[in-house]
Amino acid sequence: MMDLSLATIVIIAANVIITYKALGDYSFFERYKFNVGSIRRGEQIRMFSSGFLHVNTMHLVFNMFTLFFFADVVIDALGTLNFIIVYIISLILGNLLSLYFHKDEYYYSAVGASGAVTGILYAAILIRPDMSLYMFFVPVPIPAYLFGIGYLLYSIYGMKKQIGNIGHDAHFGGAIGGYVVTLLLLPQLIETNLLMVLLLAVPIIILFVMHKTGKL
C-alpha cells in the first residue's frame, strides 16, 4: 500500500474542493480559469488558480491519479518543500508556455493541474529513469525514460497539429519545469546519470529548434 504524504493529500484535497466549487458555480469557474485576454488585462491570479480547476470529474481523477503514483518518488528524493516547489513552478511554467504560444488568441482558455502534474511526472522520471510504467492499453512495462521522451514528442506533435481539446503546451511547460528544477536541486544527477539527463532533454531541444525555425 502506497503511503500518501501530507503534502500530496493537501494538494489533492485542494484540487477536489476547488474543482467541485467551480463545477457548481459557473461564475467562479469563469473568474479563475486560464484565459489569455483576462491575463493580459492584468488578472495574473489566473496563472495559478486555473491549475486547481478541472472541466469534469474524469479530468480531475486522471490528474490526481497520476500525481498519486509519482509524488512519493519526488518527495523521497527532494523532500516535501522542494516537491511543492517543483509542483508550483511546473504549474506556472506550463501556463507561461501556453500564454506564450497563444498570446494573440484572447479567447483562449484552459484549466487543469496537468502542467503541475506533468512536472512531477518528469521529475520522477529524471530521478528514477529505471522505473517501469504500465499503461492501460499496453500489456508490457515501458521504461520510464522512454515514456517521458515519447510523451513530450507527442506533446510537440499535438501542439503543431492542435490535436484534441488538450493543453499540450501546458504539459510541455510543466515538464520543462520539473526537469530544470530537479536538476537545480539534484545537480549530482548530471554526474551519476548524464546519459538519461541528455536523453530527457532531447524533446525540449527539439521544441526550441522547431520554434526558432518556424516549424511549430
Side-chain angles (χ1 to χ4, degrees), residues 4-27:
L4 276 175
S5 74
L6 179 60
T8 309
I9 292 170
V10 169
I11 289 173
I12 291 175
N15 273 277
V16 170
I17 292 168
I18 295 171
T19 290
Y20 275 95
K21 162 66 176 173
L23 291 178
D25 185 342
Y26 180 75
S27 63

Side-chain angles (χ1 to χ4, degrees), residues 41-203:
R41 286 192 296 270
E43 297 178 28
Q44 306 301 331
I45 186 64
R46 293 173 183 262
M47 295 288 290
F48 180 74
S49 61
S50 61
F52 293 88
L53 303 174
H54 294 80
V55 294
N56 53 42
T57 300
M58 184 59 68
H59 186 205
L60 171 66
V61 168
F62 181 80
N63 276 333
M64 296 304 100
F65 189 70
T66 305
L67 177 65
F68 167 79
F69 272 105
F70 295 100
D72 280 353
V73 175
V74 180
I75 291 170
D76 289 346
L78 301 180
T80 300
L81 178 59
N82 287 332
F83 162 75
I84 295 170
I85 289 171
V86 171
Y87 188 91
I88 292 174
I89 289 179
S90 297
L91 190 164
I92 298 298
L93 279 182
N95 281 336
L96 279 173
L97 195 65
S98 287
L99 185 63
Y100 177 75
F101 279 111
H102 300 281
K103 59 183 178 293
D104 296 322
E105 302 169 40
Y106 280 65
Y107 62 87
Y108 182 85
S109 297
V111 294
S114 300
V117 172
T118 305
I120 296 299
L121 168 65
Y122 219 67
I125 291 172
L126 187 59
I127 293 163
R128 288 279 313 279
D130 58 323
M131 288 189 300
S132 292
L133 306 182
Y134 290 84
M135 308 302 294
F136 294 115
F137 48 85
V138 180
V140 294
I142 303 171
Y145 72 94
L146 287 180
F147 174 83
I149 294 168
Y151 183 78
L152 288 197
L153 290 176
Y154 173 74
S155 293
I156 293 174
Y157 180 75
M159 291 163 66
K160 184 175 177 62
K161 300 295 185 179
Q162 298 183 336
I163 296 174
N165 189 27
I166 300 172
H168 297 287
D169 33 30
H171 295 178
F172 205 102
I176 293 173
Y179 179 85
V180 172
V181 177
T182 300
L183 286 180
L184 289 174
L185 295 171
L186 284 179
Q188 60 266 36
L189 289 173
I190 297 173
E191 297 179 10
T192 60
N193 219 344
L194 179 60
L195 177 59
M196 288 302 172
V197 170
L198 293 175
L199 284 174
L200 289 168
V202 168

Side-chain angles (χ1 to χ4, degrees), residues 199-216:
L199 284 174
L200 289 168
V202 168
I204 298 172
I205 295 169
I206 290 173
L207 178 72
F208 176 77
V209 171
M210 288 181 67
H211 176 64
K212 293 296 288 184
T213 57
K215 295 181 179 178
L216 189 65

